[in-house]
Amino acid sequence: MTPPNPPAAPLRADCVGDSAGGLTFDVAARGNTGSALLILRRRDTDAEETVSLPLAPAAEGLLRAALPSSVSLPEGRWDAYAALSDGEPRRLVPGVTDLRSLAARTPGGLLGHVAVRIPYATRQGNLTVRSWLRAPHAETAELELVNGGLAVRGRVYGTQLTADAHAELRARTASDGDGDGVRRVDVVTERADFGFTVRYDTLAPGDWDLWLRPAGESGPVVRLARLLDDVADKHPVLTYPRARVLTPDGPVEAGPYYTDDNDLSLSVVPSAP
């Protein structure tokens, strides 16, 4: 009986980010690689959506593919594969990742949107790229606990702040006792920068999502998020202090957190008197 062939060694890809938001993939592959492609497959979509990038020889045993910021990559999680010599695509695993340029970049927003791509290792050890495409975008820069509330500072990209700018807190469920589930908060602006303070004692228990209206009621509604760094999933990484306050619904404990999409939200939960 012929023993089965051993499984092929995983293909490893080093990733480097550039200051414009693009990515370069260096795949270690020796031998005759033929016509090679790096393939990104968008996860959790009804129709298969892929982006194929040519892998060209860059050095001995090394193939390189570039994903420039000008190539559209819709928001989502994109699993990375390499297809060599017309063979079946093979899942890539991450090698050395250098994303220092992503953490230091300041996008101009001149195209009316902000594109962010962050490669990361999945729980299974595979390479995936998390992509965001926001038009416009409101980036949170600082969060500070202040006297039973939260001070938020950030910057808007792809649009302008006007005298009518304000923030909104939206209850994620319909359990808000005041009916509409929306709280409006005044915003202080300076060019593209904004700041506002949320009072926790005005919020009913539940989750509240934070939005910015840069031009008031007649303009766009922009979800607040923190995207411009090298952390693909901030929810388990960034934690913030919580405060206990008294509300019309009784005592609560409240604090900010980032969702699985790195959007900014508030959690308000009842607490013992």
Side-chain angles (χ1 to χ4, degrees):
M1 182 177 179
T2 303
N5 293 326
L11 292 173
R12 191 170 302 274
D14 297 337
C15 297
V16 178
D18 63 42
S19 59
L23 293 174
T24 298
F25 302 85
D26 285 344
V27 178
R30 296 189 176 276
N32 181 17
T33 57
S35 178
L37 292 173
L38 186 140
I39 301 171
L40 299 174
R41 290 179 178 169
R42 192 178 182 191
R43 195 187 300 174
D44 301 328
T45 55
D46 293 336
E48 183 173 298
E49 189 173 357
T50 64
V51 172
S52 296
L53 306 169
L55 277 165
E60 180 65 28
L62 194 68
L63 300 174
R64 177 168 295 167
L67 177 65
S69 58
S70 57
V71 173
S72 177
L73 197 67
E75 192 158 321
R77 299 179 188 269
W78 296 77
D79 297 329
Y81 299 79
L84 309 179
S85 303
D86 298 324
E88 287 294 318
R90 293 164 58 185
R91 198 73 165 88
L92 290 171
V93 299
V96 177
T97 301
D98 183 355
L99 304 179
R100 289 173 293 179
S101 294
L102 295 185
R105 67 185 288 238
T106 302
L110 297 178
L111 299 178
H113 67 257
V114 169
V116 178
R117 296 86 178 265
I118 303 178
Y120 70 97
T122 67
R123 293 179 181 177
Q124 294 75 33
N126 296 316
L127 176 63
T128 293
V129 176
R130 181 68 172 93
S131 173
W132 289 267
L133 190 63
R134 299 288 171 94
H137 171 55
E139 176 79 3
T140 59
E142 296 181 34
L143 303 178
E144 182 182 1
L145 179 64
V146 288
N147 193 27
L150 181 71
V152 180
R153 285 181 286 275
R155 171 167 289 191
V156 69
Y157 298 90
T159 190
Q160 293 184 342
L161 294 165
T162 73
D164 295 323
H166 63 269
E168 287 183 351
L169 283 72
R170 299 182 176 183
R172 199 174 299 168
T173 63
S175 60
D176 177 32
D178 289 347
D180 60 358
V182 178
R183 300 286 186 275
R184 175 171 170 165
V185 181
D186 292 336
V187 168
V188 176
T189 65
E190 183 179 355
R191 297 183 181 178
D193 296 330
F194 62 86
F196 61 89
T197 300
V198 177
R199 289 179 49 190
Y200 291 153
D201 60 6
T202 65
L203 303 179
D207 288 286
W208 295 78
D209 298 329
L210 278 69
W211 298 77
L212 182 70
R213 284 188 173 270
E217 297 291 343
S218 62
V221 184
V222 188
R223 188 73 164 93
L224 268 72
R226 182 168 172 176
L227 307 179
L228 300 177
D229 56 25
D230 57 356
V231 182
D233 186 2
K234 295 176 178 60
H235 182 68
V237 177
L238 301 183
T239 58
Y240 297 92
R242 299 174 64 81
R244 295 189 63 184
V245 299
L246 184 62
T247 74
D249 297 285
V252 301
E253 185 179 276
Y257 69 94
Y258 285 102
T259 70
D260 290 340
D261 290 325
N262 290 354
D263 296 326
L264 180 61
S265 294
L266 297 174
S267 168
V268 182
V269 297
S271 64

